[in-house]
Amino acid sequence: TDPLAAIRDLFELPEGLIYLDANSVGPMPKSVRARASALLDDWVRLRQLGWSERAWQQMPSLLGDAIAPFIGAGKGDVVFADSTTLNQFKAVSHALAINRGRSVMLTQNSNFPTDVHVLQGLVEHSRGQLSLRFVDNEDAAVAAFDDSIAVAAFSHVDYRSGARWDMARVTAAAHAAGALTVWDLCHSAGAVPVDVEGANADFAIGCGNKYLCGGPGSPAFIYARKGLADRAFPAIAGWMGHADVLAFTRDYVPHQGVKRFITGTPLVGADELAGGMLDIWPQIEPRTLWAKHKSLTDFLIGALRQQCGPLGVEVISPDDYDRRGGNVTFRAPGANAIVEALIAQGVIASFRNPDAIRFGVSPLVIRHQDCLEAVVRLRRVLES
Ligand SMILES: *Cc1c(COP(=O)(O)O)cnc(C)c1O
């Protein structure tokens, strides 16, 4: 039996559709309609009622606490604010400020473009002080650390291949050389086991809109290891990250901990759509979620090989679950056209250049029967 069957009922899902694009936008919790509607009602009433009763100022922390167990973080160490891109900037800038004497940043060649672009922007604006180095794989990363590296910013899971890095191993190598780490959890948070505290990760960031189901335009999250945020002034010092928001002092005094990464007014509308997360995540035991994801993706990979292997499908997601991310990726000739045909068959997947197809598996709503049915429909497409 499915331990998350009751959770599936908390989502509004289109009839007959097999949704395997949770790595892009997670499905919508039913409670979001009422949340959005209540916000609009408060807006209509303007200031007479509503704003002071509304938890808009607390939402960054409420959302952060709701997902913290799914990344192995403690209460109060995660907030939702801004986009992943901005959080990458804040986290990397913070690491650079802490590690002042060093000038090199390290990242993956295959990292998600925006993560790399942020680092390139920092180099451009550094008056010649900073440089960027790339590595191809995890072993190369572990070997690359030396005393010039201030910060390593890596994706935990490769957005194309779905391959997961060993966060503890890489972080240990970074720390042994005196470097700090920033981990992008976009393709692991809410799907596969993440343990930022166990791995001793310094900073972590990630999307709200993907497996976490924060909806379109969801704010992103940022985590800092206990004590670390306090060691530097934030690069974007905004009034909402001030120690005393409503004191309106001229000079900035940073809030204790990760709250200093809240910049300006929370994105109240986006936070309310993302508020569906508050109705879902606290009801789930992380280990239950992760076990279901493993079971689903093991099953999916097996079915893909058996049913579609002879038709040219090659699974590129790792067999070793400890190396697998949220999505299952496979190669197929004519992948782009296959994804189009799958969508016409009611299976929503995504395509990545040049020949990769991604099935983003959300354990909140996907069942084993959905995986099987998706593979059956894929086979039909390949045969036609
Ligand atoms: C989706 C994704 C992002 C998106 O960044 P935004 O600034 O929130 O648009 C960043 N990094 C990775 C690895 C992603 O998969």
Side-chain angles (χ1 to χ4, degrees):
T1 60
D2 181 349
L4 298 180
I7 296 295
R8 186 175 200 273
D9 292 337
L10 301 177
F11 286 86
E12 197 168 312
L13 298 166
E15 202 63 42
L17 199 72
I18 300 176
Y19 187 72
L20 293 170
D21 203 15
N23 50 331
S24 179
V25 180
M28 187 182 93
K30 284 176 181 163
S31 65
V32 171
R33 283 189 192 276
R35 286 181 169 277
S37 175
L39 174 68
L40 299 184
D41 289 345
D42 280 355
W43 189 5
V44 169
R45 286 196 293 262
L46 294 172
R47 289 183 183 279
Q48 293 161 16
L49 280 172
W51 293 119
S52 54
E53 293 151 32
R54 182 163 275 292
W56 64 273
Q57 223 182 305
Q58 288 75 47
M59 277 303 260
S61 295
L62 292 173
L63 295 168
D65 286 344
I67 69 102
F70 294 87
I71 65 167
K75 237 180 153 57
D77 292 336
V78 184
V79 291
F80 275 76
D82 309 314
S83 60
T84 314
T85 303
L86 273 168
N87 287 342
Q88 164 90 333
F89 177 82
K90 291 182 251 181
V92 172
S93 298
H94 220 71
L96 290 168
I98 292 169
N99 242 344
R100 266 182 201 291
R102 298 173 174 221
S103 61
V104 180
M105 299 179 287
L106 189 67
T107 193
Q108 293 136 321
N109 271 312
S110 58
N111 203 350
F112 190 81
T114 206
D115 297 54
V116 180
H117 300 338
V118 165
L119 304 180
Q120 291 167 330
L122 282 164
V123 171
E124 289 294 321
H125 280 253
S126 73
R127 303 167 187 250
Q129 297 299 302
L130 296 175
S131 64
L132 179 58
R133 226 179 268 165
F134 291 92
V135 289
D136 273 331
N137 56 53
E138 186 180 307
D139 287 341
V142 166
F145 287 105
D146 60 34
D147 62 10
S148 69
I149 296 175
V151 54
F154 295 127
S155 275
H156 186 208
V157 168
D158 185 287
Y159 73 103
R160 276 178 294 210
S161 70
R164 190 189 338 161
W165 279 25
D166 183 338
M167 189 187 288
R169 175 187 181 221
V170 176
T171 301
H175 288 176
L180 293 167
T181 54
V182 176
W183 291 94
D184 183 326
L185 308 180
C186 281
H187 293 278
S188 50
V192 299
V194 183
D195 187 3
V196 288
E197 280 189 4
N200 215 9
D202 299 297
F203 298 93
I205 56 167
C207 292
N209 55 291
K210 292 171 183 165
Y211 294 97
L212 295 175
C213 303
S218 172
F221 65 84
I222 180 167
Y223 159 85
R225 183 159 56 77
K226 277 193 204 310
L228 206 56
D230 299 331
R231 287 177 53 191
F233 201 94
I236 306 176
W239 71 305
M240 285 283 163
H242 191 286
D244 188 355
V245 172
L246 297 178
F248 295 99
T249 61
R250 187 196 68 178
D251 293 329
Y252 183 77
V253 181
H255 199 289
Q256 282 268 309
V258 79
K259 275 193 181 173
R260 68 184 58 196
F261 297 124
I262 302 170
T263 54
T265 303
L267 308 171
V268 177
D271 281 356
E272 211 46 50
L273 297 190
M277 291 196 283
L278 303 178
D279 306 314
I280 302 291
W281 294 107
Q283 300 197 40
I284 304 171
E285 167 61 39
R287 279 173 207 292
T288 306
L289 181 92
W290 298 331
K292 186 180 171 195
H293 184 270
K294 176 181 189 310
S295 172
L296 285 169
T297 52
D298 280 347
F299 177 72
L300 178 59
I301 288 172
L304 280 168
R305 286 219 173 97
Q306 192 186 34
Q307 299 284 320
C308 304
L311 297 165
V313 162
E314 184 201 344
V315 175
I316 53 180
S317 282
D319 280 325
D320 177 0
Y321 189 68
D322 291 340
R323 292 292 173 173
R324 200 182 301 154
N327 62 295
V328 167
T329 306
F330 54 95
R331 276 202 200 99
N336 201 3
I338 292 170
V339 167
E340 292 299 313
L342 277 174
I343 290 170
Q345 297 263 337
V347 178
I348 312 300
S350 61
F351 164 73
R352 280 292 174 273
N353 259 330
D355 60 354
I357 298 175
R358 301 185 303 175
F359 280 180
V361 181
S362 169
L364 300 171
V365 300
I366 293 297
R367 302 160 299 186
H368 289 77
Q369 71 218 59
D370 300 317
C371 294
L372 184 60
E373 182 59 28
V375 172
V376 167
R377 292 188 200 176
L378 171 64
R379 189 190 160 115
R380 209 182 295 149
V381 166
L382 292 167
E383 283 171 344
S384 67

